[in-house]
Amino acid sequence: MAYREAAQTLRGRMKTETDPLVRQDLEILIQAAELRVRQSEVFEKHLLPYRNVTELVFQGLRALLDDQVPEARRRAALVRLRRYVGMEEGYRPITQLAAERLREKLPQQHLLGPFRSKVEQDLANSKLFLEGIGPLFQKYQIDGYQDALARWKDQAVNYQQFIRQELLPRSRTDFRLPPELYKLNLENFGVDLPPEELAKKARAAFTEIQREMQELAPRVAQERGWTLTGYREVIRELKKQQLVGDAILPHYQKRLAQIEEIVRQRNLVTLPQRAARIRLATPAESAASPAPNMRPPRLVGNTGEMGEFVLPLNIPDAAGKMQGYDDFTFEAASWTLAAHELRPGHELQFASIVEKGVSTARAVYAFNSTNVEGWGLYSEWVMQPFLPVEGRLVGLQHRLMRAARAHLDPELQLGKVTPAEATRVLSDDVVLSPAMARQEVERYTFRMPGQATSYFYGYLRLLELRAEVDRRLGARFDPRKFHDFLLAQGLLPPALLRRAVEQE
């Protein structure tokens, strides 16, 4: 296997390399190659090779059909679409390849099929992904796509029928993964704690955050003239102040400017001079990622592309019906969202990688959820003391959600809680909307088991590192220099990041 050979070659380079930064890069590459080998072996051992092909094709085209992609490169989207459908010489339809791969493995009864609800959700979302392609070609005035798109829609319909007839009967009703596979999922997302230990730490943090929220909630209520005292009731009241339609983008732009002013006044981190990019999601993008997210810029060969904060407003259910949720579109939530997704969070994180320059190993092969999302949640924590009281309360609510993720995700996989129990915790204790609670449980059970734990874990590791540096430097500790140094390292895993800080 190519990855195994690459790891062996890289280990040979490690024996003679003396530059400490290059040695770090080699460690990243070796770990990435060895993880890919283990993933391939475990997936082959346990799972049928199912992919949501309609989403894959949409995302492949969406990556090229974007305002920040140069016009000449956008036109490659038509070539890519023609290759997807087998209209280019030497290419076969992607649906045909996917079906053949599945049929090859279907007779092996020991292999687990995908979770049934995931397949049903994928089938329901397919219409959005299919309908989202034509408008992209039209927007960028790329003609000649019509025949290829018509062929793609026919192929997709036939593939969906194949999935219904041949895969659905093999789909499973138990979402839980084999322990070996779930542990590998955690490792893939950068979490190296055993599931039980992770859940124990997260449950303790969950209780402590609730205590902080309960202390803060009466202050919010007092400022607003409310007679409420419980944090749940106060957050529900804050959620009534919803941003609607054309007011959303200007509000987030204003909120970001306020946060940047705090960052400068408090000397927290060095900010770029340019503005950040924020926009609302399309229906197809909302189906692919039903929560606010930062679309990273191209990290290799970047020609000026920037990260982009995308804010979905609705998510589809299994029947394709759009469900609104109120968790990210009320005024008090915009403080912590802007800090996490924009600055000093992900937008600044990716801008540092692109604009200051780091090695490909640090930008690409060290890219995992712990290294990325840990910084996002840590950024919320950095801003927390300087926000108005309602912003601090909702910031704690979001931190509570991350702690909930880090114990509910593994406990669902371990069979210690049920989806109904997890939904109750998210709805009642974290105060999420029904739509948000539903998509969270889907995330833990079949969308990306293990991924949601990475926010809390990465945040804990950064807090531990900061506390150690603060202790050792005392009065000489400078938050801006510390944060600038962390960002300059790229996406180093926690252990390598700690080593880099100690060496400096």
Side-chain angles (χ1 to χ4, degrees):
M1 181 187 288
Y3 282 116
R4 187 174 282 111
E5 293 174 359
Q8 185 175 356
T9 300
L10 293 166
R11 282 193 292 269
R13 288 275 309 274
M14 180 71 85
K15 294 177 181 179
T16 58
E17 183 58 58
T18 57
D19 187 298
L21 295 179
V22 177
R23 288 183 64 84
Q24 283 184 350
D25 284 359
L26 287 170
E27 285 187 64
I28 292 168
L29 294 172
I30 291 168
Q31 290 172 7
E34 291 177 342
L35 179 59
R36 290 294 181 90
V37 170
R38 294 200 306 278
Q39 286 176 327
S40 178
E41 292 173 346
V42 173
F43 291 168
E44 288 278 340
K45 175 182 176 182
H46 289 293
L47 299 177
L48 286 174
Y50 167 69
R51 291 292 301 272
N52 182 4
V53 177
T54 54
E55 180 179 356
L56 185 153
V57 168
F58 172 79
Q59 297 286 28
L61 297 171
R62 180 69 184 84
L64 292 172
L65 297 174
D66 183 88
D67 289 346
Q68 297 191 79
V69 174
E71 182 179 357
R73 189 162 172 258
R74 281 191 215 126
R75 297 196 172 276
L78 179 56
V79 177
R80 182 171 289 184
L81 176 59
R82 289 174 57 86
R83 289 176 176 176
Y84 281 143
V85 300
M87 292 176 69
E88 293 281 306
E89 185 177 354
Y91 290 84
R92 295 167 59 202
I94 189 171
T95 52
Q96 188 180 106
L97 296 172
E100 288 177 359
R101 176 73 172 136
L102 257 175
R103 284 196 176 106
E104 175 189 333
K105 299 290 186 178
L106 279 170
Q108 300 183 30
Q109 294 300 314
H110 70 282
L111 295 179
L112 292 174
F115 183 50
R116 180 164 298 172
S117 293
K118 172 174 172 52
V119 180
E120 292 170 345
Q121 185 72 66
D122 290 347
L123 291 170
N125 288 347
S126 291
K127 183 179 179 181
L128 292 170
F129 293 127
L130 293 175
E131 291 177 348
I133 294 173
L136 288 173
F137 279 100
Q138 294 164 14
K139 176 181 178 179
Y140 297 107
Q141 300 179 348
I142 300 174
D143 201 15
Y145 71 88
Q146 291 85 351
D147 289 346
L149 181 56
R151 186 175 298 194
W152 166 236
K153 288 182 177 179
D154 288 340
Q155 291 173 356
V157 169
N158 291 334
Y159 181 74
Q160 290 165 31
Q161 188 62 26
F162 156 72
I163 294 297
R164 288 189 180 93
Q165 291 178 348
E166 300 193 35
L167 183 65
L168 265 181
R170 283 290 306 277
S171 62
R172 67 186 196 274
T173 55
D174 185 352
F175 61 83
R176 290 176 298 175
L177 296 172
E180 180 184 13
L181 185 52
Y182 182 65
K183 184 178 179 182
L184 188 63
N185 269 17
L186 290 175
E187 185 178 355
N188 183 51
F189 295 125
V191 179
D192 55 11
L193 278 182
E196 297 85 354
E197 185 177 347
L198 176 64
K200 182 179 179 181
K201 286 179 177 289
R203 274 196 173 274
F206 189 89
T207 301
E208 174 59 23
I209 296 167
Q210 280 187 301
R211 184 192 62 78
E212 294 181 53
M213 293 174 70
Q214 192 54 53
E215 290 179 354
L216 197 58
R219 292 181 54 191
V220 178
Q222 184 178 20
E223 285 191 2
R224 302 296 177 104
W226 301 335
T227 58
L228 308 171
T229 56
Y231 80 81
R232 297 169 179 84
E233 293 77 16
V234 172
I235 289 175
R236 291 191 182 101
E237 196 66 27
L238 287 172
K239 280 189 171 189
K240 294 178 181 178
Q241 300 168 350
Q242 288 288 312
L243 300 162
V244 180
D246 293 341
I248 297 173
L249 284 179
H251 175 85
Y252 269 91
Q253 290 162 347
K254 178 182 176 181
R255 186 66 81 228
L256 175 60
Q258 292 172 311
I259 288 176
E260 289 178 326
E261 183 61 25
I262 293 171
V263 169
R264 293 188 183 98
Q265 288 179 354
R266 299 291 178 169
N267 200 33
L268 298 177
V269 70
T270 302
L271 294 173
Q273 295 300 312
R274 53 168 180 75
R277 295 176 63 93
I278 314 171
R279 68 173 176 83
L280 301 181
T282 65
E285 289 172 325
S286 296
S289 184
N293 61 92
M294 169 59 62
R295 289 189 64 213
R298 191 156 49 119
L299 299 180
V300 176
N302 188 288
T303 57
E305 299 98 323
M306 296 162 51
E308 192 172 52
F309 177 38
V310 182
L311 184 67
L313 301 182
N314 295 287
I315 56 174
D317 62 16
K321 180 181 177 182
M322 303 304 291
Q323 294 188 29
Y325 55 107
D326 61 7
D327 304 273
F328 308 110
T329 51
F330 65 105
E331 291 187 12
S334 58
W335 288 104
T336 193
L337 265 176
H340 182 105
E341 301 290 354
L342 291 164
R343 295 172 182 173
H346 294 322
E347 196 274 345
L348 184 59
Q349 184 180 35
F350 292 125
S352 178
I353 291 171
V354 171
E355 295 170 8
K356 296 179 181 178
V358 299
S359 68
T360 301
R362 294 166 187 254
V364 177
Y365 291 96
F367 193 124
N368 66 38
S369 290
T370 290
N371 304 339
V372 174
E373 299 298 353
W375 173 259
L377 184 51
Y378 174 80
S379 296
E380 295 180 33
W381 177 84
V382 167
M383 295 302 303
Q384 177 86 6
F386 313 115
L387 302 182
V389 65
E390 70 273 10
R392 298 206 300 274
L393 179 63
V394 177
L396 285 171
Q397 182 210 14
H398 282 221
R399 200 183 305 166
L400 187 72
M401 178 175 67
R402 276 47 169 268
R405 288 172 172 174
H407 75 79
L408 292 175
D409 191 309
E411 287 174 345
L412 281 162
Q413 293 294 330
L414 293 167
K416 293 184 176 181
V417 299
T418 66
E421 291 168 338
T423 301
R424 187 207 61 75
V425 170
L426 294 165
S427 299
D428 296 348
D429 295 334
V430 186
V431 203
L432 299 183
S433 67
M436 183 65 184
R438 177 184 67 83
Q439 76 93 7
E440 282 289 307
V441 173
E442 288 179 354
R443 183 176 186 171
Y444 315 155
T445 53
F446 65 83
R447 284 184 182 272
M448 290 184 288
Q451 187 274 339
T453 68
S454 60
Y455 297 72
F456 176 78
Y457 181 67
Y459 159 74
L460 282 187
R461 297 298 298 270
L462 283 172
L463 281 188
E464 292 169 356
L465 180 58
R466 175 177 172 136
E468 175 65 15
V469 174
D470 197 355
R471 183 188 65 80
R472 292 169 63 176
L473 292 181
R476 294 183 294 121
F477 178 75
D478 184 326
R480 181 182 60 79
K481 290 182 179 179
F482 176 68
H483 295 146
D484 286 353
F485 178 82
L486 295 186
L487 291 171
Q489 304 311 302
L491 299 174
L492 277 183
L496 290 182
L497 184 60
R498 173 176 284 275
R499 191 187 310 168
V501 169
E502 289 173 348
Q503 289 173 347
E504 288 293 317

